[in-house]
Amino acid sequence: MKPITLPVTARICHAFQIILFVFAAASCGKGDGGGGIVPPPEPTPPAISGITPNTGPFNTVVVISGSNFSATAADNDVKFNGKTAKVTAATAASLTVEVPKSAGNGVVTVTVKGKTATGPAFTYIFTGTVSTLAGSTNGYLDGTGAGALFHGVAGICVDAQGNLYVSDHYNHKIRKITPAGVVSTLAGSIRGYADGTGTAAQFWNPSGIAVDPQGNVFVADAGNHRIRRITPAGVVSTYAGKDPYGYEDGAAHSARFFGPEDVTLDANGNVYVGDANNYKVRKITPGGVVSTLAGSTYGYQDGTGSGAIFYTPRSIQCDAQGNVFVSDYFNQKIRKVTPGGVVTTVAGSTYGWVEGSASTAKFEGPRGMVITAQGEIFVVEDRNNTVRKLTAAFDVSTLCGQAGLTYSDWKDGTLGEAKFRTPMDICADAQGNFYIADFNNNRVRKISFE
């Protein structure tokens, strides 16, 4: 029998089918070890077993122990509370790093080749320095830094741009200080009472001071028994109160105060007044209605509204929830007033200087306060010459200053070295710096941290 011979066209088609079959077989082999391209294995993620030490200030050298780090220092991305740290040495099991500036408290992370390990928390110790922003001897002079003169810096506040406003008590003026320390007079002239613009206005021993988001400055004009308002252009008007001094609620210009010593504002534009010689905390609505939030006669008692008793509420401050904290001066205590007028004692016992828990701590002349976003309260004491710190749980410690100093003490330096003389008020800017109205040193002091 003769072999079957396919036509040329049929032979070509048959050969093409064979090629397709071989290609398909090779393709099927890629997934089962048939000789295809195999992707590289995933990198083993790093792991952190410990950090030593776990607390310290800026530039502390910390050793991070663990596994699967890169032996090339630059390949390890180390962060303390989200801030990048410098890696100075590296092995697969150990990294030596320097704590970054202003790290704060938070966890340590290590990222290698896109894989991140989270370790324990590091407790950051802020190192503080006290310096003089403006002022020197007593007097009156606009200028820069030590070239400016004050006579009794009583109240202090800061606006959103970092400008400070201070009540220059015995000069009867409101002064403005730029972040660079340039001092000018916003309003006021001789002692007296007059509304007007700039030097046409008059105050009498202005005390506590506050600024709203629009840059309007509110002043407790203690000698005139009024609350005054100053626009950013320096136009002064009477916000509430009239002569003679006394106690009366009602419409703002019919209400009476007796030696108001401090003002603060809440998020809704209500102004609260430490009406010191009436022993009360007063409230002024944006519509101009004055009422009594808490207090009655002098003494000491927790309670609600008029059932609560203060003994000279000299300084007040609002928190984000609308609670008003009060420096109850002669009771040597820090009190809290809810928006509903319920008064409790959060810290302080008897006269003195003692650190510790809320109920055992002692104050001597608590004055101005500032409340941080973390709920900590910093308060100055005009008799202990210190700045005290209250934690969110109201435990009390000393940030700086030295209790029991003589009248003439004054010194810049570290927190442990700094000395104040009758500090009256405190505020904080957006960067976390504190500013102190150092009354009898006639200076504005700055506490900076890193």
Side-chain angles (χ1 to χ4, degrees):
M1 178 182 296
K2 290 183 178 180
I4 299 173
T5 302
L6 295 173
V8 174
T9 303
R11 289 200 300 269
I12 293 172
C13 289
H14 183 64
F16 184 72
Q17 289 172 347
I18 292 172
I19 292 170
L20 288 176
F21 176 80
V22 172
F23 180 79
S27 299
C28 291
K30 286 183 180 179
D32 60 0
I37 300 172
V38 179
E42 286 286 322
T44 305
I48 301 173
S49 59
I51 55 175
T52 306
N54 62 2
T55 184
F58 166 56
N59 268 350
T60 298
V61 175
V62 172
V63 176
I64 303 173
S65 304
S67 57
N68 303 314
F69 304 142
S70 173
T72 302
D75 291 343
N76 302 279
D77 182 15
V78 179
K79 287 184 168 63
F80 283 65
N81 194 30
K83 291 185 170 60
T84 300
K86 180 182 179 181
V87 181
T88 58
T91 69
S94 176
L95 300 175
T96 303
V97 302
E98 295 177 357
V99 175
K101 183 180 291 187
S102 302
N105 300 333
V107 297
V108 176
T109 61
V110 176
T111 302
V112 182
K113 296 181 179 179
K115 300 292 182 178
T116 300
T118 300
F122 183 86
T123 301
Y124 187 82
I125 298 175
F126 284 94
T127 56
T129 303
V130 179
S131 59
T132 297
L133 179 67
S136 52
T137 59
N138 101 42
Y140 169 65
L141 185 66
D142 286 337
T144 301
L149 301 180
F150 302 91
H151 192 183
V153 185
I156 192 166
C157 64
V158 61
D159 68 15
Q161 290 71 45
N163 299 299
L164 296 170
Y165 299 89
V166 300
S167 52
D168 194 356
H169 192 72
Y170 293 122
N171 280 323
H172 313 291
K173 295 174 176 65
I174 305 303
R175 316 284 290 278
K176 178 180 178 179
I177 311 174
T178 70
V182 179
V183 179
S184 58
T185 299
L186 178 67
S189 51
I190 61 173
R191 188 183 79 177
Y193 168 68
D195 287 336
T197 301
T199 57
Q202 294 176 357
F203 299 89
W204 187 347
N205 295 140
S207 186
I209 192 168
V211 61
D212 70 13
Q214 292 73 45
N216 298 298
V217 177
F218 292 79
V219 181
D221 191 2
N224 282 316
H225 313 292
R226 292 172 168 89
I227 307 304
R228 314 287 290 279
R229 182 173 67 175
I230 313 171
T231 70
V235 179
V236 180
S237 59
T238 297
Y239 195 69
K242 67 176 182 179
D243 271 338
Y245 66 81
Y247 168 64
E248 186 177 340
D249 286 335
H253 295 288
S254 299
R256 297 181 195 272
F257 300 89
F258 188 6
E261 291 201 19
D262 202 12
V263 288
T264 190
L265 293 98
D266 68 13
N268 298 315
N270 296 297
V271 177
Y272 296 88
V273 180
D275 195 1
N277 292 332
N278 276 322
Y279 314 108
K280 295 174 176 64
V281 176
R282 314 283 290 280
K283 177 181 178 180
I284 311 171
T285 69
V289 177
V290 178
S291 60
T292 299
L293 181 63
S296 52
T297 60
Y298 73 89
Y300 169 67
Q301 183 173 300
D302 286 337
T304 301
S306 60
I309 301 175
F310 300 92
Y311 195 171
T312 314
R314 283 201 161 145
S315 294
I316 57 177
Q317 189 70 214
C318 274
D319 68 9
Q321 290 72 46
N323 300 299
V324 181
F325 287 82
V326 180
S327 290
D328 194 0
Y329 189 81
F330 287 113
N331 280 322
Q332 313 299 336
K333 293 175 175 64
I334 306 300
R335 317 281 291 277
K336 175 184 174 181
V337 189
T338 70
V342 179
V343 180
T344 54
T345 299
V346 299
S349 53
T350 57
Y351 177 94
W353 180 73
V354 173
E355 315 278 45
S357 65
S359 60
T360 60
K362 294 183 179 181
F363 298 94
E364 190 173 337
R367 281 275 192 170
M369 294 177 289
V370 64
I371 303 173
T372 69
Q374 292 73 38
E376 297 172 330
I377 301 173
F378 292 83
V379 55
V380 295
E381 297 174 281
D382 67 5
R383 294 190 178 184
N384 274 330
N385 297 300
T386 57
V387 181
R388 309 289 288 279
K389 174 184 175 181
L390 283 68
T391 67
F394 304 114
D395 294 327
V396 180
S397 60
T398 298
L399 176 69
C400 60
Q402 300 175 36
L405 297 181
T406 62
Y407 184 79
S408 61
D409 285 297
W410 170 78
K411 187 177 182 181
D412 284 336
T414 66
L415 296 180
E417 296 170 337
K419 298 178 182 179
F420 302 92
R421 181 159 47 123
T422 323
M424 297 275 275
D425 204 1
I426 182 172
C427 67
D429 65 17
Q431 289 71 45
N433 302 299
F434 291 136
Y435 299 88
I436 310 292
D438 195 359
F439 186 82
N440 278 322
N441 277 322
N442 301 296
R443 290 168 167 88
V444 173
R445 314 285 291 279
K446 178 179 180 180
I447 306 175
S448 54
F449 300 91
E450 62 179 26

